């Protein structure tokens, strides 16, 4: 990247992302009262999108276009454009945790990452309800404010607190529930917060020991996945595959093999 003068350093991209994400989080928070009266559905009746999801995405895209007009943008609500080779693509979830947002639960975030040639190099996750913020650059560590993050030191699955999430399709939920019904007997406990980016950041700082979920899109995990990886977690799919829609697992290296093998045994990446 250093040889391509058109691509800023990851720290510069992060500075852009942080500034835009903070403004977008403020918009999401201010809009909540009016946004929750304009609710539509997407893939299923339980997969909701509010007016604020769309407004925040438009705000972020417009800000990026002003600052970086030649970059690509991928957003959850409006899709996006590809980036030419060697250029930046921004990956955005305007409000991760829309159901939490709808109900007023303080677990919803703006997630914005910068990707170059398919590799995420900078990312920020900002909890719009609380103002908590996590950042990372590739090779530069993961941070919450001035505190550098390191994941859990847990090595035993039976003592691990595991976060996860569920899809919106009833058949997929049934499969995920069956996996969880067995997994919960092998771990300390399970948590489900409802926002993948925040789950990944919790794993990065040891608020949970590990996290897994099937069905995530790039905007769900681009920024949070970098935060987790830079905190020392292994972020991957199953059986050597990269993290993606079939499965994402984020766990400390000492815990990853046991959780991975349990998920393979339970066919966590299978089903609808």
């Amino acid at each position: 990247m250093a040889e391509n003068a058109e691509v800023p350093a990851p720290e510069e991209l992060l500075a852009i992302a942080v500034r835009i994400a903070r403004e977008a989080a403020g918009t999401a928070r201010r809009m909540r009262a009016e946004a929750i009266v304009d609710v539509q559905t997407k893939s299923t009746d339980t997969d909701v999108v509010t007016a604020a999801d769309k407004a925040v995405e438009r705000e972020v895209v417009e800000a990026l276009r002003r600052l970086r007009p030649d970059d690509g943008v991928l957003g959850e609500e409006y899709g996006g454009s590809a980036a030419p080779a060697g250029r930046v693509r921004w990956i955005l979830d305007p409000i991760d945790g829309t159901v939490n947002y709808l109900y007023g639960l303080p677990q919803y975030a703006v997630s914005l990452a910068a990707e170059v040639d398919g590799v995420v190099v900078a990312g920020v996750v900002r909890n719009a309800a609380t103002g908590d913020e996590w950042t990372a650059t590739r090779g530069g560590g993961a941070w919450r404010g001035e505190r550098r993050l390191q994941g859990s030191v847990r090595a035993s699955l039976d003592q691990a607190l595991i976060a996860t999430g569920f899809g919106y399709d009833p058949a997929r939920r049934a499969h995920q529930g069956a996996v969880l019904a067995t997994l919960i007997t092998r771990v300390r406990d399970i948590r489900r917060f409802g926002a993948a980016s925040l789950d990944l950041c919790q794993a990065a700082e040891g608020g949970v020991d590990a996290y897994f979920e099937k069905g995530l899109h790039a905007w769900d995990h681009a920024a949070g996945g970098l935060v987790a990886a830079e905190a020392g977690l292994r972020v991957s799919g199953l059986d050597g595959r990269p993290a993606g829609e079939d499965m994402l697992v984020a766990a400390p290296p000492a815990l990853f093999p046991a959780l991975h093998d349990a998920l393979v045994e339970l066919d966590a990446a299978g089903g609808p």
Side-chain angles (χ1 to χ4, degrees):
M1 287 185 296
E3 296 177 0
N4 189 339
E6 295 182 337
V7 178
E11 293 75 16
E12 296 177 65
L13 294 172
L14 178 62
I16 293 171
V18 166
R19 184 167 73 251
I20 292 174
R22 288 176 178 174
E23 294 173 356
T27 298
R29 190 172 57 252
R30 289 191 302 271
M31 283 191 68
R32 186 183 171 272
E34 62 187 83
I36 61 175
V37 301
D38 183 4
V39 179
Q40 302 171 2
T41 57
K42 296 189 288 185
S43 61
T44 72
D45 288 344
T46 54
D47 185 7
V48 297
V49 57
T50 69
D53 289 274
K54 298 177 181 179
V56 170
E57 183 159 319
R58 287 194 298 268
E59 176 183 317
V60 171
V61 171
E62 288 169 5
L64 289 170
R65 292 282 184 245
R66 288 194 298 271
L67 293 169
R68 306 274 308 164
D70 297 325
D71 290 351
V73 181
L74 173 65
E76 179 178 11
E77 306 307 334
Y78 294 107
S81 57
R87 298 304 303 266
V88 178
R89 182 174 76 153
W90 299 90
I91 304 175
L92 165 69
D93 195 334
I95 301 179
D96 183 23
T98 301
V99 173
N100 289 343
Y101 185 71
L102 182 63
Y103 280 84
L105 300 174
Q107 290 281 332
Y108 55 90
V110 176
S111 172
L112 183 60
E115 176 190 81
V116 179
D117 291 336
V119 177
V120 177
V121 298
V124 56
V125 176
R126 186 173 180 88
N127 185 327
T130 65
D132 293 323
E133 184 177 273
W134 297 262
T135 61
T137 54
R138 184 160 295 276
W143 302 81
R144 182 174 179 176
E146 299 299 316
R147 177 164 61 93
R148 187 162 187 166
L149 302 181
Q150 292 184 316
S152 167
V153 297
R154 198 80 57 199
S156 175
L157 187 61
D158 65 349
Q159 294 298 305
L161 181 63
I162 307 296
T164 191
F166 304 100
Y168 290 106
D169 178 76
R172 173 167 290 181
R173 285 185 170 187
H175 181 79
Q176 290 173 315
V179 170
L180 204 59
T182 299
L183 183 66
I184 198 170
T185 67
R186 305 183 187 182
V187 300
R188 182 190 296 275
D189 210 344
I190 298 290
R191 293 291 181 268
R192 192 273 203 266
F193 298 114
S197 62
L198 293 175
D199 288 333
L200 284 159
C201 291
Q202 282 295 316
E205 65 176 43
V208 296
D209 295 306
Y211 164 71
F212 76 94
E213 187 165 347
K214 173 185 171 71
L216 296 180
H217 299 283
W219 50 78
D220 295 310
H221 65 82
L226 180 63
V227 172
E230 286 295 321
L233 276 66
R234 182 174 173 186
V235 181
S236 177
L238 299 182
D239 295 321
R241 293 188 293 272
E245 289 190 39
D246 60 337
M247 182 56 62
L248 179 147
V249 183
L255 184 60
F256 187 94
L259 178 58
H260 171 277
D261 291 351
L263 294 173
V264 169
E265 176 192 339
L266 297 172
D267 190 29

